[in-house]
């Protein structure tokens, strides 16, 4: 029985991904900062562990408790929407600590066991914001774009050891808690000078016909974890797939 460890499982993509792998018969290690076992049905194949990807001691403790794993899904992330001009550098660093350095730290921590066994898959969840420029998400996009470059390079680095590294790029998903989770962080990040422009962006988002659902991302992670063709990028959601096609044309 294979084991997957998924970060950021308290809601959204991580929760859907953990549930999907469990439904497919895998053993699942669902991690989150504050454990919520009530989010899952009781099962001997599923454990909920505390994990803060910004804290080395937390990463080490979670991996010790998890034991050997076959797939790591780096999904934990935080959102940010606002004018870059109004974004404190401390907030920028906070976003990078989770979205970029947290992913790198988790990846570095699992590489030894994958390399020694000469097998394993690392799936990094980024965003379709890396596929096409979007306004008012410059910091968030930068944190995810860094992981795109990191993943592409690392895939070459670990290929010789039988370890695969993949990207899943979700589209716009209005049903996730992206805005809710970052509400305090985003306070006052749209100053009056930017308000009319921000309203036009919000209006544009409400008119998006094709959006991404949590299960779309879970399915994309599943495909990435099982890929044997050497595919690096897996857009998730109809809108992300359309952007990917446009970027490739």
């Amino acid at each position: 029985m294979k084991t997957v460890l998924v970060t950021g499982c308290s809601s959204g993509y991580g929760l859907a991904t953990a549930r999907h792998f469990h439904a497919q018969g895998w053993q699942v290690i669902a991690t989150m900062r504050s454990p919520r076992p009530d989010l899952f049905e009781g099962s001997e194949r599923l454990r909920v562990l505390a994990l803060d990807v910004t804290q080395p001691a937390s990463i080490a403790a979670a991996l010790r408790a998890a034991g050997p794993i076959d797939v790591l899904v780096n999904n934990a992330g935080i959102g940010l929407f606002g004018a870059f001009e109004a974004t404190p550098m401390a907030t920028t660093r906070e976003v990078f600590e989770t979205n970029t350095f947290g992913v790198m730290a988790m990846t570095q921590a699992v590489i030894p066991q994958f390399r020694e066994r000469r097998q394993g898959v690392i799936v990094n969840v980024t965003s379709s914001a890396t596929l096409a420029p979007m306004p008012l998400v410059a910091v968030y996009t930068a944190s995810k774009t860094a992981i795109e470059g990191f993943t592409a390079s690392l895939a070459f680095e670990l290929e010789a050891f039988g370890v695969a590294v993949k990207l899943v790029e979700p589209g716009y998903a209005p049903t996730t808690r992206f805005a809710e989770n970052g509400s305090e962080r985003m306070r006052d990040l749209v100053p009056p000078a930017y308000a009319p422009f921000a309203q036009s962006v919000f209006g544009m988002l409400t008119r998006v016909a094709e959006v991404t659902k949590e299960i779309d991302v879970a399915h994309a992670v599943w495909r990435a974890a099982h890929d044997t063709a050497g595919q690096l990028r897996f857009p998730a959601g109809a809108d992300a797939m359309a952007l990917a096609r446009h970027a490739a044309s």
Side-chain angles (χ1 to χ4, degrees):
M1 186 184 301
K2 289 193 173 183
T3 300
V4 60
L5 186 151
V6 186
T7 68
C9 289
S10 62
S11 64
Y13 306 148
L15 180 58
T17 298
R19 287 173 172 170
H20 183 66
F21 272 77
H22 183 263
Q24 302 306 312
W26 279 51
Q27 180 166 285
V28 175
I29 311 296
T31 70
M32 56 195 77
R33 288 184 176 180
S34 300
R36 291 274 312 278
D38 58 293
L39 295 173
F40 303 93
E41 295 182 5
S43 169
E44 294 181 352
R45 291 188 290 106
L46 190 145
R47 285 186 290 159
V48 179
L49 297 180
L51 173 61
D52 182 341
V53 300
T54 69
Q55 300 298 320
S58 180
I59 292 174
L63 290 179
R64 280 196 303 270
I69 64 173
D70 299 282
V71 175
L72 167 66
V73 180
N74 281 314
N75 164 78
I78 58 177
L80 194 72
F81 183 95
F84 177 67
E85 177 186 344
T87 304
M89 287 308 299
T91 301
T92 297
R93 292 187 179 93
E94 180 186 358
V95 171
F96 270 76
E97 281 295 337
T98 296
N99 294 1
T100 308
F101 302 130
V103 170
M104 291 179 171
M106 281 298 300
T107 299
Q108 192 173 65
V110 303
I111 286 175
Q113 62 168 289
F114 285 178
R115 176 180 50 75
E116 290 168 7
R117 297 203 311 266
R118 302 189 72 84
Q119 64 179 12
V121 183
I122 299 163
V123 182
N124 294 331
V125 180
T126 58
S127 169
S128 63
T130 65
L131 298 173
M134 294 184 64
L136 301 177
V137 288
V139 169
Y140 175 78
T141 300
S143 71
K144 294 293 190 177
T145 301
I147 292 302
E148 294 263 325
F150 166 71
T151 303
S153 180
L154 191 64
F156 281 113
E157 187 172 323
L158 297 182
E159 185 178 16
F161 299 104
V163 180
V165 192
K166 307 291 184 178
L167 283 164
V168 168
E169 301 162 323
Y172 171 56
T175 56
T176 65
R177 293 169 57 190
F178 180 92
E180 179 185 341
N181 288 343
S183 58
E184 186 61 35
R185 193 180 308 110
M186 292 185 252
R187 190 184 303 276
D188 300 323
L189 295 191
V190 181
Y194 286 86
F197 179 61
Q199 287 301 318
S200 69
V201 173
F202 289 140
M204 176 191 68
L205 291 175
T206 61
R207 295 190 297 272
V208 173
E210 294 183 316
V211 297
T212 296
K213 300 175 182 176
E214 289 89 336
I215 195 61
D216 296 331
V217 179
H219 287 164
V221 171
W222 177 263
R223 292 194 302 273
H226 289 82
D227 177 65
T228 58
Q231 181 176 337
L232 174 66
R233 292 179 169 82
F234 292 79
D239 53 333
M241 288 189 282
L243 285 174
R245 287 192 298 268
H246 179 75
S249 63

